Amino acid sequence: MSTRRDEFTVLVLGGDGIGPEVVGAGVEVLLAVAKREGLRVEIEEDLLHGAAWERYGTFCRDETVARAREVDAVLVGAVGDPRFDDYLADDVSPVEEGTEAGAVARDPADKDGLMRLRRDLDVFAGLRPARAFEALVERTPFRPEVVRGADLMVLRELCGGAYFGLPRGIERLPGGGRRAYDATVYTEAEIERIARVGFELARRRRRRLLSVDKANVMESGMLWREVVSDIGAREYPDVALTHFYADNAAYQLARAPRDFDVVLADNLLGDLLSDQAGAIAGSLGMLPSASLAGLPPSGEPAKPGLYEPVHGSAPDIAGQGIANPLGTILSVAMMFEYGFALPALARRIEDAVERTLATGPRTPDLGGEAGSAALTHAVIDACRESGPG
Ligand code: IPM
Ligand code: MG
């Protein structure tokens, strides 16, 4: 029998807006569960994105990336600070009269702290589960019989595609006006590695994988479909593989969310579908994520790993103490499962969230009037009820 590890270090990057509030809640739950289990969790904090820019003049410091590589897990709040919108939009190089139109290929990792972390840590696998919580079924836009029991996982490729592809830029045209472009670029190797994670996840779930693309229009979609099919046929004949065009996938996800198990998509399409899946949960504030550099065999910790709620920085409600902390708390559950390889503790947190939703306080996005702190403490109490004495 292998001995369970009992010491972990977590780097906490609150980021912007409600980010620091929700990670505060996540850390409280993390430490409460750890203490009860006799685990030692060391918390280190650093700044990310707007908060980092203000202090250090960069959206993500080299030191932060280096530390993120060393620790057992990174907990991220949210990035996005409206104060930098103009700065980011303005960055276009002027073109001299009579010369070729020049372009700035701005590195997305230079304008977004989270993008830099994803790229530098090579956490290409974005695991974004969404399910219909029984207590919130009435709050979803779906009829209960359509959504009840829905339980899916969007697996989003995070380090390639339109987010990072070259060429990209905004250029001034010699004749006046500007032109902007991005490129959806994928190598076979990039598609293969994310497809394998998709098939492995499907094996741990209901053995169904839906791969999403625009193979009817895009070259990158054609290669995507071919490579995913080949891997499926060669290595995972036990997993039922289906392909949908992305538009149809969005439609079917709204029509019959219970039909989905694992949904594999590229960076951009996965971004869209994972937000859409939030409607199934009743609030975008409910959705957790884990961004991993691959899926190790069960029982082994994934490292490095970023754990973050899917929602954004919500500057409109920042500082009011009313943000829904459950997406972050469920991200902490994913940290226990994937980062620490302690799935039983992940289940305990998920059960506690489920029970709290049934009877406990709710934040405004869930139809209640409670603050984040009341909801967080109710989850911690519920974790205690189900933990060992
Ligand atoms: C997400 C977010 C990010 C993304 C933004 C904040 C860069 O929407 O994690 O889904 O587009 O990937
Ligand atoms: Mg998104």
Side-chain angles (χ1 to χ4, degrees):
M1 218 180 87
S2 68
T3 45
R4 183 174 100 157
R5 267 189 66 203
D6 58 6
E7 284 191 24
F8 302 95
T9 305
V10 176
L11 176 63
V12 175
L13 306 171
D16 307 315
I18 58 172
E21 302 168 39
V22 293
V23 294
V27 167
E28 275 191 71
V29 174
L30 172 60
L31 294 180
V33 171
K35 186 171 172 203
R36 213 168 160 80
E37 283 292 307
L39 306 174
R40 269 200 41 208
V41 178
E42 183 100 32
I43 301 290
E44 294 179 16
E45 291 186 61
D46 200 351
L47 303 174
L48 188 65
H49 205 69
W53 182 278
E54 207 166 295
R55 175 92 160 265
Y56 302 114
T58 167
F59 288 116
C60 180
R61 293 186 302 150
D62 296 344
E63 292 89 321
T64 310
V65 177
R67 203 56 199 132
R69 281 204 184 96
E70 287 161 4
V71 295
D72 295 293
V74 183
L75 182 64
V76 177
V79 302
D81 183 332
R83 289 176 305 170
F84 296 102
D85 288 355
D86 291 346
Y87 160 81
L88 296 171
D90 265 7
D91 187 11
V92 182
S93 67
V95 180
E96 303 279 304
E97 189 79 37
T99 62
E100 285 283 303
V104 216
R106 286 174 294 177
D107 185 341
D110 288 341
K111 27 176 228 165
D112 189 304
L114 188 54
M115 300 279 289
R116 168 150 193 218
L117 277 178
R118 284 178 186 163
R119 187 199 61 192
D120 288 4
L121 300 179
D122 200 24
V123 287
F124 63 91
L127 281 62
R128 298 183 163 203
R131 61 197 171 98
F133 295 92
E134 185 53 37
L136 297 179
V137 159
E138 298 289 344
R139 288 204 57 78
T140 72
F142 299 91
R143 288 198 308 282
E145 70 271 23
V146 171
V147 76
R148 178 163 282 136
D151 179 354
L152 58 94
M153 166 93 77
V154 175
L155 175 64
R156 171 183 174 197
E157 199 292 325
L158 278 182
C159 291
Y163 274 53
F164 291 100
L166 293 175
R168 59 182 282 142
I170 303 178
E171 63 189 15
R172 292 194 193 287
L173 297 170
R178 291 175 298 165
R179 179 167 80 158
Y181 46 90
D182 302 276
T184 303
V185 180
Y186 275 110
T187 62
E188 280 180 308
E190 284 173 313
I191 302 169
E192 279 169 15
R193 66 177 187 171
I194 191 69
R196 286 202 177 91
V197 173
F199 285 108
E200 293 292 337
L201 284 171
R203 274 189 178 162
R204 294 182 195 183
R205 295 171 51 99
R206 302 191 300 278
R207 290 184 184 257
R208 286 163 52 204
L209 181 68
L210 173 73
S211 176
V212 172
D213 59 51
K214 279 296 284 180
N216 50 342
V217 188
M218 297 174 70
E219 304 292 327
S220 56
M222 279 178 224
L223 189 65
W224 181 278
R225 186 170 287 219
E226 188 189 308
V227 171
V228 174
S229 295
D230 285 353
I231 301 262
R234 260 189 287 128
E235 300 173 26
Y236 300 91
D238 54 312
V239 174
L241 171 66
T242 322
H243 303 273
F244 277 179
Y245 297 135
D247 48 351
N248 186 38
Y251 171 64
Q252 299 299 340
L253 189 55
R255 199 189 59 82
R258 288 195 300 197
D259 291 355
F260 291 76
D261 184 13
V262 179
V263 181
L264 170 65
D266 77 8
N267 209 339
L268 183 60
L269 300 176
D271 184 40
L272 307 181
L273 292 175
S274 60
D275 262 36
Q276 190 185 333
I280 294 163
S283 167
L284 195 52
M286 295 300 301
L287 295 196
S289 79
S291 307
L292 309 177
L295 193 66
S298 345
E300 281 175 35
K303 203 176 145 182
L306 298 183
Y307 300 84
E308 44 162 331
V310 171
H311 64 69
S313 58
D316 52 320
I317 59 160
Q320 296 178 32
I322 57 165
N324 182 350
L326 296 179
T328 311
I329 290 171
L330 291 169
S331 301
V332 167
M334 294 188 85
M335 182 185 290
F336 273 106
E337 173 151 18
Y338 297 101
F340 303 168
L342 296 172
L345 298 184
R347 294 297 91 74
R348 188 183 304 166
I349 295 172
E350 288 164 2
D351 290 350
V353 166
E354 196 97 39
R355 274 180 289 122
T356 305
L357 285 172
T359 54
R362 288 186 181 183
T363 44
D365 62 304
L366 301 176
E369 287 170 8
S372 321
L375 182 47
T376 304
H377 295 144
V379 173
I380 292 173
D381 288 345
C383 283
R384 287 208 183 96
E385 281 159 26
S386 59

